[in-house]
Amino acid sequence: LTLAGILMLRRRSSLSGTAAGVLTILLLLFELNNVSNYSLRTFETAITLRKLDEHRNLAAFLKQRTDFPRVEMEHKDIPYNFGDWFGVDQFGGFQPGLSKSLWLTAGEPPYRMLYAINYAIGPAPARPDQAQLFQGNSGLKIFANPRAFPRARMVHAAIGAADEVAVRIAVMNPATDLRRTVVVQGAPPVLENCDGGDVQIVRKRTTSVTLHANASCKSMVVLADAWFLGWKAFVDGKPTQIYAAYDVIRGVVVDAGQHEVVMRYRPGSVFTGMALALVGILLCAVLQFRRQTPVAVPLS
């Protein structure tokens, strides 16, 4: 309301441009002061801030690992987004949104293997098979999850399911060999049954991943990163279909031989929004230009 009042007075020429600018800056500083000083505490009383410092060596240990760490932890042990703060891939934490398929399956042991959650942080192991690797200054320890699948792997069999419920049933079925088999909605891709083959992640960024695949036969490369609309896949530079493997992660079919697989996040909505924004800017510029063009008035 204060900003609206300043703009109204400026439009009526009751304020000069300089005065209006100064008042607007003062108003912004007032708002910033109100936010930045909210719950301001000293370091000794800021518990979460002290925990950030105590947990720094846990993050340093994980970032030295070469197997693309993805870590899980309990909120009572680390009450903040450890992964966001330290740049480590974390499963869970405070999130603005979550896909339905991930929300429905996050707590299921077979899916946690598929998500490649290979490390856990806590005061004690959550499961008997977890092995301690490191203890931090805070007393919390890092454990390895030996049952977790690799971040990128290759499968040689595919099962089709009618809908997302049927996919979850197939994944939860102990008879399904998840190490060799992928489950998808609809008609499954035709794969060949063979042994061998490997996948290496050569470059990983937030919106793109590059993998090198060496397949012994027609197989599917499975990347344990979330499937979502907007991801595009390319094999040796050619566009190809990207599957929602197990309804939650990404899969691409490759033929026998060596291939480069690239996945890029290119949602059409972003480019549509950019185009509409440019049209709006151009329209505003045209209207502003026409408004400032002097109009010739004929002399009587």
Side-chain angles (χ1 to χ4, degrees):
L1 289 176
T2 305
L3 179 61
I6 294 172
L7 295 176
M8 183 182 68
L9 291 174
R10 172 69 187 110
R11 185 169 184 176
R12 293 180 177 178
S13 301
S14 300
L15 282 176
S16 66
T18 302
V22 170
L23 289 174
T24 302
I25 292 173
L26 290 175
L27 178 62
L28 291 174
L29 290 175
F30 174 79
E31 291 293 333
L32 287 173
N33 176 73
N34 184 46
V35 173
S36 60
N37 287 337
Y38 181 73
S39 296
L40 185 64
R41 301 177 180 179
T42 63
F43 184 79
E44 290 72 18
T45 60
I47 298 175
T48 302
L49 187 61
R50 295 204 333 262
K51 285 183 178 295
L52 292 176
D53 187 59
E54 292 175 357
H55 299 155
R56 190 178 305 277
N57 57 351
L58 295 173
F61 176 83
L62 290 171
K63 295 175 83 168
Q64 291 175 355
R65 311 295 288 185
T66 58
D67 53 352
F68 296 94
R70 176 170 287 160
V71 64
E72 61 180 343
M73 62 202 69
E74 293 291 337
H75 175 71
K76 60 182 178 59
D77 299 321
I78 299 184
Y80 62 91
N81 274 5
F82 177 91
D84 287 343
W85 183 261
F86 291 111
V88 176
D89 199 348
Q90 176 186 352
F91 188 83
F94 299 100
Q95 302 176 63
L98 198 63
S99 66
K100 176 185 175 182
S101 57
L102 184 60
W103 175 71
L104 289 173
T105 60
E108 302 294 344
Y111 278 95
R112 298 180 83 82
M113 294 191 304
L114 294 172
Y115 295 142
I117 307 171
N118 47 2
Y119 294 95
I121 297 179
R127 294 181 293 277
D129 60 340
Q130 290 181 334
Q132 181 179 332
L133 301 177
F134 180 79
Q135 179 170 340
N137 296 334
S138 63
L140 294 178
K141 303 168 186 176
I142 296 178
F143 302 92
N145 290 329
R147 298 178 62 193
F149 290 169
R151 182 68 66 92
R153 59 195 179 93
M154 195 169 290
V155 297
H156 303 99
I159 297 175
D163 51 32
E164 59 184 15
V165 175
V167 171
R168 291 198 295 273
I169 292 173
V171 172
M172 299 295 292
N173 187 348
T176 305
D177 184 2
L178 297 177
R179 289 194 177 273
R180 292 183 56 87
T181 307
V182 64
V183 185
V184 298
Q185 282 195 51
V190 178
L191 305 179
E192 297 174 332
N193 187 14
C194 64
D195 294 321
D198 64 272
V199 186
Q200 301 292 330
I201 300 176
V202 296
R203 185 174 64 180
K204 191 174 190 308
R205 297 178 178 174
T206 305
T207 57
S208 66
V209 183
T210 301
L211 308 100
H212 282 174
N214 183 15
S216 302
C217 62
K218 190 171 184 180
S219 314
M220 178 180 283
V221 173
V222 177
L223 179 69
D225 284 349
W227 178 90
F228 198 74
L229 293 173
W231 279 99
K232 312 294 181 184
F234 305 85
V235 176
D236 299 328
K238 298 178 182 179
T240 189
Q241 181 178 354
I242 185 166
Y243 290 86
Y246 314 101
D247 209 32
V248 289
I249 54 181
R250 306 197 291 271
V252 172
V253 174
V254 296
D255 292 321
Q258 296 187 5
H259 303 278
E260 181 185 67
V261 179
V262 179
M263 299 183 189
R264 297 192 183 99
Y265 187 57
R266 297 292 185 270
S269 57
V270 172
F271 296 100
T272 302
M274 289 173 59
L276 292 174
L278 288 173
V279 169
I281 292 172
L282 291 173
L283 183 61
C284 290
V286 169
L287 292 175
Q288 182 69 12
F289 176 77
R290 289 186 60 186
R291 190 170 128 198
Q292 291 182 352
T293 303
V295 179
V297 180
L299 297 174
S300 57

